[in-house]
Coordinates of all heavy atoms in Angstrom, one line a residue:
R144 N -17.8 -23.0 -14.8 CA -18.0 -24.1 -15.7 C -19.3 -24.8 -15.2 O -19.7 -24.8 -14.1 CB -16.8 -25.0 -15.8 CG -16.6 -25.8 -14.5 CD -15.5 -26.8 -14.7 NE -15.0 -27.3 -13.4 CZ -15.6 -28.2 -12.7 NH1 -16.8 -28.7 -13.1 NH2 -15.1 -28.6 -11.5
K145 N -19.9 -25.5 -16.2 CA -21.0 -26.4 -16.0 C -20.7 -27.7 -16.7 O -20.2 -27.7 -17.8 CB -22.3 -25.8 -16.5 CG -22.9 -24.7 -15.7 CD -24.3 -24.4 -16.0 CE -24.4 -23.7 -17.4 NZ -25.8 -23.2 -17.7
G146 N -21.0 -28.8 -16.0 CA -20.8 -30.1 -16.6 C -22.1 -30.7 -17.2 O -23.1 -30.0 -17.4
G147 N -22.0 -31.9 -17.5 CA -23.2 -32.6 -18.1 C -22.7 -33.3 -19.4 O -21.5 -33.7 -19.5
A148 N -23.6 -33.5 -20.4 CA -23.2 -34.1 -21.6 C -22.1 -33.4 -22.3 O -21.2 -34.0 -22.9 CB -24.5 -34.2 -22.5
S149 N -22.1 -32.0 -22.2 CA -21.0 -31.3 -22.7 C -20.6 -30.2 -21.7 O -21.5 -29.6 -21.1 CB -21.3 -30.6 -24.1 OG -22.3 -29.6 -23.9
V150 N -19.3 -30.0 -21.5 CA -18.8 -29.1 -20.4 C -18.7 -27.7 -21.1 O -18.1 -27.6 -22.2 CB -17.5 -29.6 -19.8 CG1 -17.0 -28.6 -18.9 CG2 -17.7 -30.9 -19.2
V151 N -19.2 -26.7 -20.4 CA -19.0 -25.3 -20.9 C -18.4 -24.5 -19.8 O -18.7 -24.8 -18.6 CB -20.3 -24.7 -21.4 CG1 -20.8 -25.4 -22.6 CG2 -21.4 -24.7 -20.3
G152 N -17.8 -23.5 -20.1 CA -17.2 -22.6 -19.1 C -16.7 -21.3 -19.8 O -16.5 -21.2 -21.0

Side-chain angles (χ1 to χ4, degrees):
R144 67 175 167 78
K145 287 194 288 186
S149 69
V150 177
V151 296

